[in-house]
Every structure is written in structure tokens, then in C-alpha cells.
Amino acid sequence: MALLRGPSCSPGLFTHRKQHSHVCSPGGTRVARLAGLPRRTCTKVVNSCFYSRPSASRVSRPQQFARPLHFGSKLTWSPSRPGTKLAGPHITATIHFHGRRVTIHAALAGVADAATDARTLLQTPVRGNPDLVTGQLDNGLRYVILPNPTPPQRFEAHLEVHAGSVDERANEQGVAHLVEHVTFLGSKRRESLLGTGARANAYTDFHHTVFHVHAPLTNCITRTPMLPQVLEALAEIAFEPQFLPMRIEKERKAVLAEAQMMNNIDYRIDCQLLTYLHAENNLGCRFPIGKTEQVKTWEHSVVQNFWKKWYFPANVTLYVVGDLDRSNEEVKALIHAAFGKFQAGSIEDHGLTATALLNCSRGAAGLLSSSSSADGNGNGNSARSGNGNGVGSSNGNGTAAAVTADIPVAVVPDEIIPASAPGNSNWKDHIVINGDSSNILGEGVIAANSNGWKLRHPVRPPVIHKHGCGAMQPGEAPAAVSNFRHPLLQHFMLTVFCKLPVYSLKAHTDLKYSFMVRTILAAFQFRMNQRYVRADPPFLGIDLDISDSGREGCCVATLTITAQPIYWEQTIKVAVEEIRRLQRFGLTASEVERYTLSMLRDSAQLAQQANSIPHINSLDFIMESLALGHTIMNHSDAHEALEAVAATTTLEDVNALAASMLTFASDVGREEEMLEVAAQPETEGKFAKPGPTRATSIVACMPAYIDQYGDTVTVGGGVMKHSSGGMGASGHLDADEINLEELEAQSKEVDALQDMQAPAGAISFDVSAEQIIKALASPDLDNIEPYPDVELPDHLVDPEVIEQRYQELQPRFVPLDGELNLVPAAAPAAVSESVARPPTNAETGITQRRLSNGIRINYRWAHAMHSGTDGKCRMRIELAT
């Protein structure tokens, strides 16, 4: 579920633009990787005359582990530190020690007093991944190829149809999911993949339907290559389905069963959040699972017509990522062979001709117009009239809408959808995001060019968002609080939303923006953790999140507050107090420096582990990045770019962004006042893009009843079960094993709980919207102090002291048996390796050793199970008492 945006296993380095900060109670605490444990990496931004103090021991004892370089403290300079900036040029360097291998990344940071150099860097486009291959067939189908070595001898092939629940009309809610079931499970070639070592599945979401196969390079039965077989199966699923009546009825039953199984409290909370978050468009009412009362009644033609409308080559993107056993050109040839045989989609498939479209009269505003219309506001209010004769109409956005047999079509000018020519490989550079009235076609409208060829919609998903930034519109009121009470809820949860445009990552300035947002969230997370461990806190969780979402087509900033019902007001005040502190005073210099070093360490490690990222992670990252219009970078280039933008990032830059991004939660009810403050000459430079933000929706979810002590009252006997399905419809049930009547009966029991009377001894818990707004806007929280700036030392123990002790003690390994005083105090070479290092236990893989001070060490080599553990070790020290 996109609203629960936690740290994802994404292979991208900030290009995924997913930022997250979280704090919760013990046992569930998640610490973001931004504040991860120290690694053998040091990063400094230093003056060009930096030096490192030479160490004789480093030369004379090559067996020792290398130690981080230590720069002279008097010469150290960082752009995040206040005060006079030293003359440059400056270098930012990351030095990573991995065993005996040392990796150094360095980038010129420019001259401290030459802002022109920084501006030039930030305006420079980031470098795309040269290994990423994109192309387009003559029929409009797009494809993406990326060789990826992990896991070896396997690959992923995903077919993305750019049609989901948001494309359904009011009487089609759930049909996208049903079409997915029928096309996927009805494919004979998909069945041929069973037993070959391949795994296949499908899912439907708001903005797309995806069919995916994870397969070995070689069929384990026939010993033939799997890639051609997989591509042929995906082609049949999408473009050659058989809509057999028996299959439709079977999958109708399965879809209805899934809807009943998802009807749990988590799903209902998600529905409430999405309903109010996207109240102005179809994302708030077109959920992928659909409406069961509609699914039960559709004629078979409804299912087939939805497929015919949206499943055409130009509306499909194929992704092939893996340890491919052939060249990219050979993969392209296989794609052409499997998918090039299908004709491009045409409006003639729906009984309309290009001539009929061109016969539409041109109105005074330069738009095609007639008496019938299709609303182009993206909110699902499509009005149609006519008798299917191809009469066109103006929809107010530069396109022409026509109606044929209840199917509206819009002629889209070439300038709205660039790079749509067959065979074009640069389509990824022209993806349109942040839809408006000029490029959103309306509910269920087919896009076509003047020749009658069907096109992918200009914007996915095709909706218009109300953003919480910029000038307030006439009559715009502050966001109101929407309450959701339910007897099965256990905690009070308040969510403050702010929808923002997506800033596609194209240039270094976009990377800098993402880098600064992550810095802000890391600081908030750390501060909330400090408040949690400092005393007995009133809150269960306080979560700040800023995420771009391809499935929603926008960026969503979210403050989520979770508390025991009795402490709801105190928890809101804690969250607002800390977010106001961060908005008013910003980060401290040491915070910016600390999180910069942490992110650069993680970046360096990710670049080093690039070849160990699994196919599925790489593919998911590519799909999400393309949906958001981001430039996809390889990890080495991304790391170098991050180092470069980090050197240009100042404390003032970060705090100006914090002042803008956090006002949606820090100043509820003061929206106009904050816009006026930002417009004053004396605050110039104090607010960064996008300017002061404001809440676009506020949702409170709370239990219906509590007891006399303020604890929640458990009701329902556990009827409603929790699941991890989220909002997307995925996986497939066997209809022959489903007891639909039983599932529907359970669902009705859950529905009845909503209106149940208060249990014996229970008290109604109902916090009003006015009370919540009063707590969010409390003036009592204005008297706050800045966060103290605490500088952390570079070392807990001076390196020279450590070196001196090393020379004095001469630590070494000694035999496991015998008294320590019998071991001669000699050089390490005096004790033979065979004596000091006994053989490894064959059964456990554990090696036992003993240091000369008596400490025993047990260790075992372990291969990393996934990319996140490469190059790391886990150590535990036990003291016998």
C-alpha cells in the first residue's frame, strides 16, 4: 500500500526519490539506514592542501587491517559548517576499506566563493545508465532490457499494461482485476511454464496491470532456452486471450472471494485514507478490488470490451532484466518475433474511423466541438451522448472527444504526446507527469492520434491532483478533519497529508533536492527516537514520510501519529512541537554533517555491491522510476553525483527546504499567514521550492469504544482477520476450492460491527474534528527552543593512543590450550600459523582462536543472503560472570 511508505528494498541511489523517517515503540523500532551503524568508511570535505599524518606502522605491518585516514583538524572544511568558507578548490572524498582493498571516490567540489561553479553543476543533467536499453516496436509496444548478474542463470520478464482500476468507468468497478484473472489463467502457454523452474503471477493496481515471470535461462524439462518461451506466453496472455464463458465464471467467483477475504480492518483503513487523500479524483473511489455488486452482474461482453479497449501494443511496456545468455540485439529480435506480429491498436476496433474524427467542426477556441461531451477534469464525470456515429466534442483540454457505442475517444495532438513514432528508443525521456487539464482526457477515454491509431494515455494515472503548495485558490479553505470510527480499531491514528508535484530526477539539482529531503527526515527520526528513550513517552509512533508514488502520480508528504486513545492529545502536541522546531529553526550544523557522512557511506557501499542486487529489485526500481519520469542511473554514477551535490549543499539550503516542506504539519490553520511570511522581502532565501506547503487532507481513525481506564475494548471475537494484501489485487485463488457463501457471511458479520451498540461497561470514544484541529494548531507550542547543536568527536579514542597501545601490547593469536604465561612474548611470526589457527570445525563451520590477552574468539564465514548484507559482519561479545 503506497500510503504505508516504509524503507523499500530498492536498488536505486536516491533516484527512486523515496524518503522515510519512522519511530515506534520498543520491539518495532525501525532505524533508517541514514543513521546506520558506522562502517570502515570515512568521508571528508577538505581544503585542497589537506594532509594525512603518515604512520610507520601502516607501512611496516602489512598484515594489519588498514585504518581510516585522519585529516588535519585545522584544515578540515565543510560547506555545512557556519562561518567563513575557506578558499578552494575543494575535494570531497570517500575512502572505503574492504579487507586489504581500498576504494577512493573523489570529486571536485568547486571554489567556496564561486557560486557559478555550483550552479553549473546543478544544472547539468545526470548521466543515464548506459546498460539500460529501451526501444519501441512498429506497433507501439515499448521494451526495456537490462543485463543483471544476480541471481545467475535466471531472469525476470514483466509485461506492464498501462490500464488499471483508475481507467474503469462508474459501472466497471473491478473489471480490470477480472480481466487480469481471465487472461492470465486462461493462457495455455502460461500453463506450459509449469514444471520448468519458472514462477508466474499477475496483479492489478490503480494505474497498471502487470504479468510477471521469474524463470531460469534453460527449461529444466526440455533443456531449451526459456526466454523465447516466456515471451510467447506473455504475448498470448496480453493479446491472444480466450474469453471462454466457463473461464469468466470461474474467475468471477475467485475475484468475489478475494474481495471478501480483503474485507478486513487494514483494508478499510486504507480505503478511508485514500478516499480523503484523493477526494478530487478517481484514485479515491476506484479501488482495484472493485465492487462486488457490480462484479456479480456483468455480462461477458463487459469483460471482453475492457480488454479490447486497453490491451493494445502501444499501451504495453515489456521489461526483461536478468543474467541473459545472449546479446541485447538477440533479445530485441526475440521481442520482435513474439510481439511484432500484433497490429497496432486502432479506433476502427471500436467502430470509429479517422475520417469521422476529422469531420468534427472546429470551435471558436480552436478546439474540436459538437453537442456531446466527455469531461476532461479527470474526476470521473464523463457525460456522453450520441448514437455511435463518431460525432466529436470538445473536452476543454485541446483534444477532441468522440463517442462510439458508449466508448469515448480523444484525438491527442502530437505536441501533447511526443516521441510516439514507431521504433523510437528515446520515449523514456518524454514521459509526462503532473497531469492537468491540457493532458488529462477524462474517465474511460481512449487516446488516439489524427490517423486513428490508439495511444498510451499522456499521463499515468490519468487524474488531476489538488496540490498543497503555491497560491491558495479563491474560496479554498484549510483542510478539514475526517473521522473514521470502528469497534475493531485499537489505537488513535491521525494522518496529515500534503500532495505535491513530482519533481522528476533529471539534473543534479533534482538529486540535491532529494538528498536534502532525506537529511531532513533523518534528523526528525533521530529527534523523535531521542524523545522516546528519554522519558515515558505518550505516543506509540510518530512517522514522517515524503514519497513520490508512481501508482498515484504525485508526491505525498505524510505525518502519521499513533497513540493510545487516552493520550491522543498529548501525542499530537509532541509531534507538532518537534515538527515546528524543525520548521522554525532547521537542522544544526552537526546534524547536516552527520547525516551527509552517513548517506555517503551507504552510497559508497551500494555502488560497491551493484552487481549483487537481485533482478526483481532492479526491475521494480526501473518500473517505478520510469513511471515518475526519473533518469535511471547506474550505482557508480549515482554515487559520484551524490558526492558532487553533497559538496554544494549548505546548512542554509537544507533549512530553507525544511521551512517549506514542513509547514503542512507545523502550521495547520495558518496557511495564508505562512504564504504571506514567505513573500516578505526579509524572508528571501528562507523558503525553498515549492514554498510553504499546506495540508490537503487530515484523517483520524479511532476506536469506537474504550473502557473506564482509557483502554480499547476488544469486540467481534476476532472475526475480522488481518492480511497483507494491501490495496492492489494480486495472486489467484482456485475457484473450485472456494466457499463463497461462507466468506460472504463472514463479511456481513464484519459489516454489522460498524453499527453495533456499546458493549457492557464500554464508553463511546469520539474525538471531534474541532478538537483535533485545536490540538494541531495549539498556540501553546509556539514557545519552543532550537535543538542543541552537539558536535560529535571524530574518534572516541585518539588514534595515536590506540597506535601506542598496539606497539606496547603487540596483540597476536596464541594456541587455544595452555596458560598465557607459558606463551613467549615474541613477534607474531614466532607462533606458527598451524598452532595459533586450528582447523575449522567441519560440521559447524566455526573456527576457534585465542588472543594473547586470553580472549577467545569464535567466527564463521557466511555468504550474504541478499545484497543488503554484503561486506558486513555481526559480532557479539559475552562476558562470563
Side-chain angles (χ1 to χ4, degrees):
M1 171 59 197
L3 296 175
L4 307 178
R5 296 176 177 88
S8 64
C9 186
S10 173
L13 173 63
F14 302 110
T15 51
H16 66 316
R17 301 287 294 279
K18 187 170 184 69
Q19 296 91 27
H20 186 82
S21 170
H22 185 83
V23 58
C24 61
S25 58
T29 302
R30 288 186 287 144
V31 180
R33 35 182 304 198
L34 301 180
L37 296 175
R39 300 182 180 89
R40 293 187 59 82
T41 306
C42 63
T43 308
K44 290 283 187 178
V45 181
V46 298
N47 188 269
S48 55
C49 57
F50 73 84
Y51 71 96
S52 61
R53 199 173 285 108
S55 171
S57 61
R58 188 175 292 117
V59 177
S60 60
R61 293 194 309 277
Q63 293 95 343
Q64 267 190 261
F65 287 113
R67 292 184 172 84
L69 301 179
H70 309 297
F71 299 117
S73 58
K74 293 183 179 180
L75 298 178
T76 301
W77 173 86
S78 169
S80 62
R81 305 302 299 180
T84 304
K85 314 301 184 189
L86 302 181
H90 300 85
I91 295 174
T92 175
T94 301
I95 305 156
H96 187 78
F97 296 87
H98 186 74
R100 297 183 181 181
R101 185 171 71 242
V102 180
T103 304
I104 301 176
H105 297 275
L108 186 65
V111 181
D113 57 355
T116 303
D117 288 353
R119 284 197 296 267
T120 301
L121 167 69
L122 295 177
Q123 293 169 1
T124 304
V126 295
R127 181 172 181 258
N129 188 343
D131 296 327
L132 187 74
V133 177
T134 60
Q136 184 172 324
L137 302 183
D138 290 343
N139 58 15
L141 183 139
R142 300 170 175 180
Y143 59 83
V144 178
I145 305 169
L146 179 67
N148 192 70
T150 304
Q153 300 295 306
R154 298 192 73 87
F155 68 92
E156 294 276 345
H158 291 209
L159 191 76
E160 178 185 27
V161 181
H162 300 285
S165 61
V166 77
D167 300 291
E168 299 165 349
R169 289 181 288 176
N171 62 343
E172 297 175 331
Q173 297 184 57
V175 70
H177 183 205
L178 182 53
V179 169
E180 170 228 309
H181 270 250
V182 174
T183 56
F184 180 77
L185 293 173
S187 169
K188 297 297 183 182
R189 287 180 175 170
R190 191 271 312 170
E191 291 181 358
S192 72
L193 300 177
L194 299 176
T196 64
R199 301 192 304 270
N201 214 326
Y203 62 90
T204 303
D205 211 328
F206 289 103
H207 65 307
H208 66 189
T209 302
V210 178
F211 306 93
H212 52 95
V213 180
H214 175 75
L217 291 180
T218 304
N219 188 315
C220 65
I221 300 174
T222 64
R223 310 310 301 173
T224 57
M226 280 293 295
L227 183 56
Q229 184 179 357
V230 168
L231 295 180
E232 290 291 344
L234 291 174
E236 181 183 80
I237 290 170
F239 302 123
E240 296 179 313
Q242 295 184 16
F243 288 92
L244 302 177
M246 182 181 299
R247 173 59 65 183
I248 294 176
E249 291 306 319
K250 185 175 183 178
E251 299 314 319
R252 189 200 304 267
K253 182 179 179 182
V255 167
L256 290 171
E258 286 183 24
Q260 304 303 332
M261 294 175 68
M262 289 184 66
N263 186 23
N264 56 46
I265 192 63
D266 293 332
Y267 179 76
R268 294 189 176 205
I269 292 174
D270 291 343
C271 288
Q272 292 294 320
L273 296 177
L274 282 169
T275 296
Y276 295 112
L277 172 62
H278 300 299
E280 73 276 17
N281 60 54
N282 275 356
L283 291 172
C285 60
R286 295 289 192 272
F287 302 135
I289 203 64
K291 292 186 175 180
T292 56
E293 62 270 23
Q294 292 189 18
V295 177
K296 291 177 180 179
T297 61
W298 287 326
E299 299 288 341
H300 294 179
S301 59
V302 174
V303 181
Q304 189 166 2
N305 285 340
F306 188 88
W307 167 84
K308 187 176 183 180
K309 183 177 181 179
W310 298 114
Y311 281 60
F312 57 93
N315 205 36
V316 169
T317 303
L318 173 70
Y319 303 84
V320 179
V321 175
D323 185 27
L324 305 175
D325 57 352
R326 60 195 72 211
S327 68
N328 290 336
E329 293 302 318
E330 291 176 299
V331 175
K332 289 182 186 179
L334 290 177
I335 294 173
H336 276 271
F339 295 94
K341 58 190 176 186
F342 301 106
Q343 290 187 351
S346 171
I347 59 175
E348 294 181 356
D349 301 336
H350 308 284
L352 183 66
T353 65
T355 303
L357 286 179
L358 296 178
N359 284 338
C360 298
S361 60
R362 185 167 295 276
L367 305 175
L368 294 171
S369 62
S370 78
S371 59
S372 61
S373 67
D375 189 356
N377 61 10
N379 63 7
N381 300 320
S382 179
R384 292 177 297 277
S385 63
N387 55 10
N389 59 2
V391 177
S393 66
S394 168
N395 60 9
N397 60 14
T399 64
V403 183
T404 82
D406 201 36
I407 297 179
V409 179
V411 179
V412 183
D414 293 339
E415 57 268 22
I416 293 183
I417 303 185
S420 59
N424 196 307
S425 62
N426 296 322
W427 54 265
K428 69 180 186 304
D429 300 323
H430 302 280
I431 294 174
V432 182
I433 57 171
N434 302 322
D436 55 35
S437 59
S438 69
N439 50 31
I440 297 299
L441 307 183
E443 181 186 75
V445 178
I446 297 174
N449 63 18
S450 57
N451 294 322
W453 297 113
K454 291 163 64 174
L455 304 173
R456 176 181 180 268
H457 266 199
V459 180
R460 298 296 309 163
V463 296
I464 298 176
H465 291 286
K466 174 186 173 184
H467 294 138
C469 60
M472 297 186 70
Q473 300 301 312
E476 180 181 351
V481 176
S482 303
N483 284 349
F484 172 60
R485 297 174 67 245
H486 198 283
L488 289 180
L489 288 174
Q490 298 293 307
H491 302 128
F492 174 89
M493 185 179 74
L494 180 70
T495 308
V496 184
F497 290 114
C498 173
K499 293 204 292 188
L500 299 168
V502 171
Y503 299 117
S504 294
L505 199 155
K506 300 289 189 182
H508 284 77
T509 187
D510 305 315
L511 182 61
K512 178 179 178 179
Y513 171 86
S514 181
F515 171 75
M516 292 191 296
V517 170
R518 299 233 13 205
T519 303
I520 294 166
L521 295 180
F524 182 83
Q525 171 220 326
F526 182 81
R527 292 182 183 187
M528 292 310 308
N529 274 320
Q530 289 294 101
R531 288 200 67 152
Y532 193 92
V533 301
R534 189 186 311 152
D536 185 19
F539 57 88
L540 297 176
I542 296 177
D543 180 78
L544 180 63
D545 174 58
I546 302 175
S547 302
D548 290 338
S549 172
R551 74 199 294 258
E552 295 164 277
C554 64
C555 173
V556 182
T558 310
L559 176 67
T560 303
I561 301 165
T562 308
Q564 293 289 352
I566 194 174
Y567 296 123
W568 71 268
E569 189 172 12
Q570 296 94 317
T571 299
I572 289 178
K573 289 183 177 181
V574 169
V576 174
E577 182 180 40
E578 284 307 322
I579 209 160
R580 278 190 191 174
R581 193 191 316 277
L582 196 55
Q583 191 275 337
R584 302 285 195 273
F585 301 105
L587 283 74
T588 66
S590 61
E591 284 180 313
V592 172
E593 196 166 5
R594 181 163 67 249
Y595 299 126
T596 296
L597 298 181
S598 178
M599 283 187 277
L600 289 174
R601 281 196 300 264
D602 289 338
S603 163
Q605 185 177 44
L606 186 61
Q608 187 180 46
Q609 298 171 355
N611 288 334
S612 61
I613 296 173
H615 307 322
I616 183 61
N617 292 14
S618 295
L619 196 151
D620 287 345
F621 165 67
I622 292 170
M623 188 180 295
E624 180 73 1
S625 296
L626 289 177
L628 295 166
H630 297 331
T631 298
I632 300 171
M633 309 171 68
N634 68 29
H635 301 287
S636 296
D637 290 342
H639 177 61
E640 292 179 8
L642 185 65
E643 287 183 313
V645 300
T648 71
T649 303
T650 66
L651 179 64
E652 293 76 14
D653 292 337
V654 176
N655 288 343
L657 184 60
S660 292
M661 294 295 291
L662 303 182
T663 50
F664 81 96
S666 66
D667 292 275
V668 173
R670 303 177 183 175
E671 291 80 7
E672 292 186 359
E673 177 184 340
M674 294 307 297
L675 288 172
E676 292 174 359
V677 170
Q680 298 300 317
E682 58 268 24
T683 61
E684 184 177 359
K686 300 297 184 181
F687 291 86
K689 177 185 81 173
T693 57
R694 56 187 177 273
T696 52
S697 56
I698 305 173
V699 185
C701 301
M702 63 190 77
Y705 307 105
I706 58 175
D707 62 20
Q708 58 180 332
Y709 304 106
D711 295 326
T712 54
V713 177
T714 303
V715 297
V719 172
M720 184 175 282
K721 299 179 180 179
H722 292 258
S723 74
S724 57
M727 291 301 300
S730 62
H732 300 97
L733 301 175
D734 187 348
D736 295 332
E737 299 180 2
I738 295 172
N739 188 334
L740 187 57
E741 292 74 16
E742 180 181 346
L743 291 174
E744 290 179 338
Q746 291 179 1
S747 184
K748 289 179 180 178
E749 291 181 31
V750 172
D751 293 337
L753 290 175
Q754 182 72 57
D755 302 320
M756 68 172 290
Q757 298 297 317
I763 304 170
S764 178
F765 181 75
D766 190 4
V767 181
S768 69
E770 292 74 18
Q771 289 175 292
I772 293 172
I773 288 292
K774 183 178 179 181
L776 286 170
S778 174
D780 298 339
L781 303 177
D782 286 339
N783 299 321
I784 51 178
E785 298 293 330
Y787 193 78
D789 190 4
V790 179
E791 288 197 41
L792 299 178
D794 290 337
H795 309 281
L796 296 178
V797 180
D798 190 297
E800 292 186 353
V801 173
I802 295 177
E803 185 66 30
Q804 180 180 355
R805 292 291 292 167
Y806 184 93
Q807 296 292 349
E808 293 174 357
L809 298 175
Q810 288 289 302
R812 61 195 184 278
F813 287 107
V814 299
L816 289 174
D817 300 322
E819 298 296 330
L820 288 177
N821 55 14
L822 300 180
V823 179
V831 179
S832 68
E833 178 70 11
S834 60
V835 174
R837 183 176 183 176
T840 300
N841 186 291
E843 295 182 359
T844 64
I846 294 175
T847 303
Q848 293 185 318
R849 303 192 74 174
R850 190 187 195 194
L851 288 169
S852 53
N853 60 0
I855 294 178
R856 294 179 177 271
I857 298 175
N858 300 330
Y859 66 87
R860 179 168 65 93
W861 289 99
H863 296 289
M865 296 301 294
H866 55 82
S867 61
T869 60
D870 288 350
K872 299 180 181 179
C873 72
R874 178 177 298 174
M875 181 172 63
R876 183 173 68 184
I877 299 176
E878 295 183 356
L879 300 178
T881 57

